[in-house]
Amino acid sequence: MLAPQTFRRALEKSHEAKAKVEVCADELTSANDAVKAKIAKGVTSLPVHEALADSEGVEVKVQEVAGDLHEVTDTLAQGIDDLKEVESALKRSRKALLESEAALARSQRGEQKAKFDGMHDPRTGLPNRTLFDDRLAQAISLAERHGWTLAVMFLDLDRFKAINDTHGHATGDRVLEEIARRLNGHCRDEDTVCRNGGDEFLYLLMNPQGRENIERVASMVLGNLGAPIDMDGLQLVITPSIGISLYPEHGETVDRLIERADVAMYQAKRAASGFAIFDGDNPG
């Protein structure tokens, strides 16, 4: 579509040309009628200067009309050129917009990845301690509001150093990845498993409904992690020691709950009992 002002100019000029054409037609009709009248009166020849004058007058008007129509054509041509320039500018704008959107999407993906990397362990993909502490803090707020209990399990892999020393760190890393996979596959959606660092893991149980259920979950984790791990035909058996602290019985802060779960883990390790719930009367 032509620009409105361009179309208006062309339309106005066209109307002017139409008016001039109508005037020329009227004059030619009048001249023709005059000639017919003279012939009817018996005139057999018209003066040459009258015919020339009439002809020249009409020719001038016709040339004016031709000039006007030429101007209309030029105006429309300019409008078309302007339209092409606008379309070209729009095309460039669309391309720039697409490039901007693609750059924004890349930036958002990069931001999301950076955020994910900052909150997850690079070896296992599990939440790291920063994310775990944040989720535990949120869980404490919910538990306080709704009267829930929470359980924090602190897991340490027994004799893991021997695996690194005997089979190499690459095998040790694969063991950690498998342990993480088993833990993550075991926990509920509302729970959180975290790699605390080295061969230590943390496990948050949301509203576990009593000690009996907590002990049942701990026993299931022991059995799950204790199943042999196949490393290219090499069967490795990993046994964890698990310490457990309870909210609000053993603490009401993130640090206190993790600290007391850690203490309970050493109680379990010394007793070779697999897991232990924090005992304030016998901290070890």
Side-chain angles (χ1 to χ4, degrees), residues 2-154:
L2 295 176
Q5 61 272 24
T6 301
F7 182 78
R8 282 197 297 271
R9 287 199 303 271
L11 187 60
E12 289 170 0
K13 189 59 66 176
S14 177
H15 286 164
E16 292 175 6
K18 178 184 177 184
K20 289 180 180 180
V21 168
E22 290 174 350
V23 169
C24 288
D26 289 342
E27 290 181 357
L28 287 173
T29 299
S30 297
N32 188 44
D33 289 344
V35 170
K36 288 180 178 179
K38 289 179 181 181
I39 292 174
K41 291 179 180 180
V43 177
T44 57
S45 62
L46 296 175
V48 175
H49 68 276
E50 289 184 16
L52 288 174
D54 292 341
S55 176
E56 287 175 357
V58 172
E59 182 180 355
V60 169
K61 289 183 173 60
V62 170
Q63 287 177 348
E64 289 179 0
V65 171
D68 290 343
L69 292 176
H70 183 70
E71 186 174 344
V72 170
T73 302
D74 288 345
T75 300
L76 293 175
Q78 179 61 47
I80 292 172
D81 289 341
D82 291 344
L83 180 59
K84 289 180 179 178
E85 184 175 345
V86 169
E87 289 177 343
S88 178
L90 284 174
K91 187 178 294 184
R92 292 193 299 271
S93 297
R94 291 191 191 100
K95 182 180 179 183
L97 178 60
L98 289 174
E99 291 174 350
S100 297
E101 289 175 344
L104 178 60
R106 288 194 298 271
S107 176
Q108 289 174 337
R109 287 195 297 270
E111 182 180 351
Q112 291 169 356
K113 185 178 185 304
K115 185 176 180 180
F116 181 90
D117 291 346
M119 292 291 182
H120 291 79
D121 172 56
R123 172 57 56 190
T124 63
L126 292 177
N128 60 18
R129 178 63 183 272
T130 300
L131 181 54
F132 184 86
D133 286 358
D134 181 67
R135 290 186 179 175
L136 179 54
Q138 294 181 42
I140 290 172
S141 296
L142 288 171
E144 182 180 12
R145 186 179 312 141
H146 298 291
W148 295 346
T149 59
L150 303 172
V152 174
M153 298 196 296
F154 195 116

Side-chain angles (χ1 to χ4, degrees), residues 163 166-167 171 228-237:
I163 292 176
T166 304
H167 304 290
T171 298
I229 299 174
D230 186 355
M231 290 289 165
D232 302 323
L234 180 66
Q235 299 293 311
L236 298 177
V237 176

